[in-house]
C-alpha cells in the first residue's frame, strides 16, 4: 500500500493530491493515509502536507521509487520485477539466495549495502542513498565459459548510460571496473551457479559511486564519484533506467543473435588500457606487459617483456 501511494504521489509530478482522493482510491481511511505519509517521511521521502490541498512529493534524487522504475523501464525482460530494500547486506548475496525462485531479469536494488563485495572478496563501500547498488538475475541458455561476456555487456551498458545521462566520459579498465580520471567509479561483479556444461543462473552486480561526496582516507586515491566530477547530484533513477535498457539491448543481441559486436566496440572505444603498459597480477606475481588488443571473444591479449604474446584468462590488471 505504502509503495502504491508513493507511486501516485510521484505521478502527480509535484502537484498536490488530497487525502480524500487517496483514501477513495485505496479504499482506506484518511487516518490510514496520514500514517502511511508519516512512514514515508521517516524513510526519507520529502512529502509536503498542506491544509485543504493535501500531499505532494518533492522530487529528489536522494531516494529511489521502485514502482516508478518498473513503470518507466522500456524493456521486455530486464527489470520487469524489481525487489527494493532500504538496506541490505549485499545485493549479490541476496540474489544468489532467491535466484532459482524469481523470474529471469529480476533486479535487486538497495539504498545501502552493509556488506557490499567487489572482486576477490574485497569490501565495496556502499553508503545509504549515495550510489547505485543493484544486481541483475539472469538465466541465459549459455555455457558457463561464456559468463565473462555478461561482465563486458554490463560494463558497456554502464559506460554508455553514464556518458548519456551525465555527459562525463568514463572508461573501462578490464575486466570489471569503470574509471573516471583514473579513479574507480563503478565495479561489476559477475557470479554464476550450475554444472560443468549447464548454467542454472548468473548474477551481475553493479555498484556505482553516484552521489558520494567524500571517501575514507584509504579510498581517496583510488575512488571517486560522478557527483564529485559533475559538481552536482546525479539523478539515480534516470541512470538506472538507462543502464537496464542498454543492458537488455546488448544482452539480447548476444543471446538471440550471437552478436557481441556492439558490446566489443564500446569496450574497445572506451578502454582505459588498450595500447598501454600495464601490470598483470596473478597471485603474488606482478608481470609488466603491453595491451595489444581485446579480441573478438572479449579476451585481453598482451605482450610480456620477454616478447611472449598471450591472452589473459585469469587474474587482473593494474595501470598503477
Amino acid at each position: 500500500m505504502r509503495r502504491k501511494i508513493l507511486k501516485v504521489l510521484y505521478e502527480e509530478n509535484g502537484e498536490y493530491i488530497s487525502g480524500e482522493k487517496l483514501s477513495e482510491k485505496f479504499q482506506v481511511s484518511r487516518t490510514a493515509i496520514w500514517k502511511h505519509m508519516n512512514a514515508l517521511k521517516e524513510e526519507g521521502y520529502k512529502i509536503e502536507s498542506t491544509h485543504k490541498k493535501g500531499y505532494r512529493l518533492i522530487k529528489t534524487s536522494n531516494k529511489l521509487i521502485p514502482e516508478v522504475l518498473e513503470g518507466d523501464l522500456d524493456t521486455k525482460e530486464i527489470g520487469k520485477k524489481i525487489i527494493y530494500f532500504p538496506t541490505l547486506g549485499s545485493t549479490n548475496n541476496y540474489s544468489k539466495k532467491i535466484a532459482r525462485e524469481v523470474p529471469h531479469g529480476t533486479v535487486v536494488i538497495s539504498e545501502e549495502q552493509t556488506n557490499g563485495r567487489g572482486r576477490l572478496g574485497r569490501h565495496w563501500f556502499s553508503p545509504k542513498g549515495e550510489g547505485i547498488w543493484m544486481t541483475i538475475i539472469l538465466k541465459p541458455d549459455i555455457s558457463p565459459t561464456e559468463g565473462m561476456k555478461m561482465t563486458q555487456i554490463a560494463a558497456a551498458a554502464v559506460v554508455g548510460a553514464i556518458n548519456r545521462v551525465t555527459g562525463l566520459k568514463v572508461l573501462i579498465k578490464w575486466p570489471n571496473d569503470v574509471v573516471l580520471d583514473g579513479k574507480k567509479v563503478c565495479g561489476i561483479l559477475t557470479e554464476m551457479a550450475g554444472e560443468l556444461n549447464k548454467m542454472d543462473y548468473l548474477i551481475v552486480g553493479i555498484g556505482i559511486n553516484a552521489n558520494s561526496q567524500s571517501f575514507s582516507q584509504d579510498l581517496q586515491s583510488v575512488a571517486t564519484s560522478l557527483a564529485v566530477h559533475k559538481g552536482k547530484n546525479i539523478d539515480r533513477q534516470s541512470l538506472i533506467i538507462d543502464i537496464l535498457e542498454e543492458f537488455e539491448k546488448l544482452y539480447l543481441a548476444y543471446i538471440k543473435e550471437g552478436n557481441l559486436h556492439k558490446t566489443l566496440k564500446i569496450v574497445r572505444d572506451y578502454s582505459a588500457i588498450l595500447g598501454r603498459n600495464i601490470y598483470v597480477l596473478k597471485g603474488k606475481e606482478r608481470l609488466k606487459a603491453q595491451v595489444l588488443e581485446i579480441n573478438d571473444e572479449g579476451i585481453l591479449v598482451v605482450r610480456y617483456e620477454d616478447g611472449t604474446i598471450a591472452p589473459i584468462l585469469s587474474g587482473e590488471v593494474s595501470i598503477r
Side-chain angles (χ1 to χ4, degrees):
M1 170 73 74
R2 193 173 303 162
R3 318 308 309 179
K4 291 177 181 177
I5 292 172
L6 185 61
K7 185 173 186 289
V8 170
L9 287 173
Y10 182 89
E11 290 170 347
E12 288 296 314
N13 203 29
E15 298 296 322
Y16 285 97
I17 183 169
S18 70
E20 184 179 358
K21 281 187 178 179
L22 288 168
S23 64
E24 288 175 0
K25 181 176 179 65
F26 295 108
Q27 295 295 295
V28 296
S29 69
R30 291 175 68 175
T31 301
I33 294 294
W34 176 78
K35 288 180 179 177
H36 283 305
M37 292 299 179
N38 285 340
L40 287 168
K41 288 177 184 178
E42 287 177 7
E43 285 184 30
Y45 293 98
K46 294 182 180 179
I47 298 172
E48 257 185 17
S49 53
T50 303
H51 183 58
K52 291 187 177 180
K53 286 187 176 181
Y55 305 94
R56 70 177 182 132
L57 176 69
I58 300 172
K59 289 191 179 180
T60 170
S61 60
N62 292 335
K63 295 287 290 182
L64 298 171
I65 304 174
E67 291 78 9
V68 173
L69 285 172
E70 286 179 346
D72 288 355
L73 264 174
D74 183 16
T75 55
K76 296 176 182 177
E77 300 178 3
I78 305 300
K80 302 313 287 184
K81 178 180 178 64
I82 292 178
I83 301 173
Y84 167 87
F85 292 92
T87 186
L88 191 64
S90 159
T91 60
N92 265 31
N93 286 352
Y94 181 79
S95 295
K96 284 191 283 187
K97 290 179 183 177
I98 65 168
R100 289 182 172 86
E101 286 78 49
V102 298
H104 162 77
T106 296
V107 176
V108 177
I109 298 178
S110 184
E111 293 281 2
E112 170 189 43
Q113 291 184 119
T114 56
N115 190 31
R117 293 185 298 112
R119 286 185 80 235
L120 306 178
R122 299 183 182 116
H123 177 69
W124 185 273
F125 181 57
S126 316
K128 194 162 195 171
E130 294 184 8
I132 294 172
W133 325 121
M134 68 179 178
T135 299
I136 307 168
I137 300 172
L138 304 169
K139 300 179 182 182
D141 184 16
I142 59 174
S143 161
T145 58
E146 302 293 290
M148 186 187 74
K149 292 181 173 65
M150 299 301 111
T151 301
Q152 293 171 320
I153 288 171
V158 167
V159 164
I162 289 175
N163 289 344
R164 283 187 294 273
V165 173
T166 72
L168 296 169
K169 186 176 180 181
V170 292
L171 300 173
I172 300 168
K173 183 175 84 67
W174 193 93
N176 69 318
D177 291 340
V178 176
V179 296
L180 184 53
D181 285 350
K183 293 184 179 182
K184 187 183 296 190
V185 76
C186 168
I188 298 164
L189 180 60
T190 300
E191 301 179 274
M192 65 187 83
E195 300 168 7
L196 188 61
N197 296 313
K198 183 180 180 300
M199 186 183 297
D200 288 341
Y201 66 81
L202 180 146
I203 62 172
V204 181
I206 299 172
I208 302 175
N209 301 329
N211 293 328
S212 304
Q213 293 295 334
S214 60
F215 295 88
S216 60
Q217 193 167 0
D218 59 325
L219 291 177
Q220 286 175 4
S221 64
V222 295
T224 188
S225 77
L226 300 176
V228 165
H229 287 262
K230 191 66 178 175
K232 63 179 182 180
N233 273 5
I234 304 303
D235 183 344
R236 293 186 298 150
Q237 199 118 318
S238 296
L239 186 53
I240 290 170
I241 288 169
D242 201 312
I243 289 169
L244 295 179
E245 289 179 350
E246 182 68 8
F247 181 90
E248 180 174 271
K249 290 175 189 173
L250 298 174
Y251 173 82
L252 291 179
Y254 177 64
I255 295 298
K256 295 191 172 182
E257 304 165 22
N259 185 348
L260 199 65
H261 300 319
K262 188 174 180 182
T263 291
L264 289 177
K265 184 177 189 315
I266 296 169
V267 168
R268 290 165 178 151
D269 288 349
Y270 292 92
S271 173
I273 60 173
L274 267 181
R276 295 188 59 176
N277 291 324
I278 61 166
Y279 289 97
V280 179
L281 310 178
K282 293 185 178 182
K284 294 182 179 180
E285 281 191 296
R286 182 179 169 91
L287 305 172
K288 192 172 182 179
Q290 181 187 24
V291 178
L292 299 180
E293 66 166 334
I294 297 169
N295 69 20
D296 289 343
E297 291 298 311
I299 295 170
L300 202 67
V301 179
V302 302
R303 179 192 289 117
Y304 292 101
E305 284 189 300
D306 65 1
T308 303
I309 295 175
I312 299 181
L313 300 174
S314 63
E316 60 180 323
V317 304
S318 171
I319 52 180
R320 296 178 182 274

